[in-house]
Amino acid sequence: VIIQEVKKNPGSKSARRQAMSARKVETDVLVIGGGGAGFRAAIAARDAGAEVTLISKGPLARCGATPMAGADFTLDGLSLSKLGFPGAPDDTFEKAFNDIVTQGYYLNNQKLVEQYLTAAPDRLKELIGWGLNITFSEERAIFTSGIGIMDTLLSRARASGVTLMADTMILDLLTENGQVTGAFGLDVQSGEYIHFKIKAVVMATGGWHKAFWPNTGMRDLSGEGIAMAHRAGADIGNMEFITFCCNVLLEPPMWLGSIATYVISLLAGGTLTNRNGEEFLNEYDPLMVQIGTGMEWNKSFVSYVTMKEVNAGKGGPQGGIFYGRGDVPWDDFEKAATMLIPKWKYKAMDLRPLGEKFKAGESIEVGSAVEYFDGGIRVNQRFETNVAGLYAAGECTLGPFGANRVFSAITEMLVHGEAAGKNAGAWAVKSSGPDPKEATLKFHEDQIETLRNRMSGLRIPEVRRKVQEAAHRALGPIRNPSDLASFVKLLDNVKADELPNLSVSDDSRSYNKEIIDAIELENMMTLLEAAAKSALFRTESRGVHYREDFPDCDNDNWLKETILKRTKDGFAIETEGIQPVHKSLPSGKMPYLDMMKTMMTSRSDIGGHH
Amino acid sequence: MNPKTAKIKVFRFNPKKDGSPRLQDYDVPLTEGMSAMDALDYIYQNLDGTLAYYDHAGCSLGICARCNGRINGKPGLFCQTPITADTILEPLSKDKVIKDLVFKRGKDQAE
């Protein structure tokens, strides 16, 4: 890595523009994203012989979604038993493949499902070898902590000689003739610009939870990776498939968005009621309720029925429903709940008051909030995009899960990360490209400088909140065309009238939150527009995409991915049919819940939560 | 009826511009179960966009520990410290301030 100071434009016209410096960094592989996918990719690229720099938007090993995860690593039960866990010796690749594809309503990229299942045992084995602590296991999963995974990967990345940059954002990629040449970055703390000369990129920026309010994600997950990859020409797809987690805490403000109650409900059971105290799950098929509350199927099933209640005017003051322990005896409930939340504490979060509420038989308001993105950057089985030198891994990809994810995203990030990093590293060590164009870097700098000097206009946090709340309403578990169309209109208006007039209150370079927020907002708007237009385009209901006006799952016309091709000033929507590899595709139309039940009951006879 | 408010005094200092630090007062409406982080979010979003606190990354749920600071002089996480009355919010290390509540940490910011 070469670092040098370059003074730019010492005599420029505006005083504020003076003394602007850009740091220069040269590396073979730039890994963008400091979660599990990014770290695993960085280690693999380094092992392939490349110089690797990993960009972490926030603190090392403490940003992205991974540290927040419970966390479960899923794989087929036979492989798990071969690794020395009880697992499920009667499980097979075929059974696990069947289950991922039926959980995904057949919209899965079957080659990526194959890659997921094939690579998973090796990724788990190596993590254990690197010292990962495992809490407990079941048929198809081990449970650990996201922080444990991150700490394991961090020490491995350090030992491998990966260069780590914390509190750094990449704002755009530079390409020439369809090939990555560089990246434009910002040191968040100092406000200094960073010019990267690179041969390959692994994009691993995770989801874009921050585009919604409320949400369950870290404050850094604003989707700039998917947006900048798309600006660089990469196809993105299935953006309409957005998983809402059910039973997320909506009160008090200090715990807003925590999935603690979701985890508790999964382990300990309990009861959901509406504002009238009615147990509304009784209205649904008992088998669906059993499967759809006892496994991670609940994310789609319970979120859907929660929104039914809320839309019928039976929700609580925070727009949710109520969760309590119901008939479960307190001792049993507490024992199960504290398996992952020992003594009702999780890190610095003290949930004892919540435990007291449950003990007293009281309920707390919970609801559905955005949690996982099934779509993203389109990749092939080598995790290449259609831009040479640009790879992608983890949640920011259009991954293996189709229309609905039940198997673990922790496994996804690791199997993707390793393969993407290895391939990017191998590509980078034998490739050579031109230098990134100074004029392009200057163009990006000027855009930020223009904003930094706009001291009157609209306040960024207000525009952002308006967009986030509208996104939560329009792109939730139940969608209708008029809300989606109004949302697209709102985005158009904000883009035309408000984004150009965003202003900052302070022209300081040091930790200028408003500048960061403005950059994030523009990226979030790009992805929201992609999701809303894709949701309007997909005239059927499948997985986590339910349309009130098209309530059937249409296997005759919609077993295809929604692909967005970059154009000069936006995108064009195309489709790509699903190619069966190990499992043939169904035909015909079926009402949404019937299809869900069919998919649930297609599950093989292996126990556990996946 | 006016909602109950609290006076939140926040440490303000930009070493590149200011001669010395100061405490700035903000009136923040109190809601039940709000944290110091919720108060900072309220100030930044509604009262003063110049305020810097570690917000561009972090979990707000007591896991990443990146919002550590001093609440009425005591070290703690802003995101998991309840606010019920007038409160002083300061950075953990006043001599390493980058801006306001954001301060320089150890090598490459790792735990």
Side-chain angles (χ1 to χ4, degrees), chain A residues 232-246:
Chain A
D235 297 344
I236 59 177
N238 280 6
M239 296 296 287
E240 67 274 36
F241 292 99
I242 300 169
T243 296
F244 277 59
C245 186
C246 60

Side-chain angles (χ1 to χ4, degrees), chain A residues 423-450:
Chain A
N423 295 331
W427 196 84
V429 292
K430 64 178 171 53
S431 96
S432 62
D435 287 350
K437 280 213 169 81
E438 284 293 329
T440 311
L441 291 161
K442 179 75 169 55
F443 168 80
H444 289 306
E445 283 186 9
D446 285 347
Q447 282 191 314
I448 310 291
E449 289 300 306
T450 303

Side-chain angles (χ1 to χ4, degrees), chain B residues 94-108:
Chain B
K94 288 184 193 173
D95 54 344
K96 293 180 186 165
V97 167
I98 292 165
K99 190 167 180 250
D100 305 335
L101 300 173
V102 180
F103 60 96
K104 189 144 185 69
R105 294 162 198 264
K107 184 176 171 285
D108 66 25

Side-chain angles (χ1 to χ4, degrees), chain A residues 27-73:
Chain A
T27 191
D28 293 333
V29 177
L30 186 70
V31 176
I32 306 175
F39 268 90
R40 190 62 193 85
I43 294 164
R46 191 78 194 97
D47 288 346
E51 290 289 326
V52 181
T53 299
L54 179 139
I55 303 295
S56 177
K57 185 172 176 180
L60 291 182
R62 290 294 182 274
C63 68
T66 318
M68 305 283 286
D72 53 350
F73 182 110

Side-chain angles (χ1 to χ4, degrees), chain A residues 169-184:
Chain A
M169 284 176 77
I170 301 297
L171 308 186
D172 256 306
L173 300 177
L174 277 72
T175 59
E176 211 151 318
N177 303 322
Q179 181 176 335
V180 170
T181 60
F184 173 63

Side-chain angles (χ1 to χ4, degrees), chain A residues 112 140 319 334 479 548:
Chain A
L112 291 183
R140 281 175 165 172
E334 186 178 38
R479 297 161 174 183
E548 283 182 321

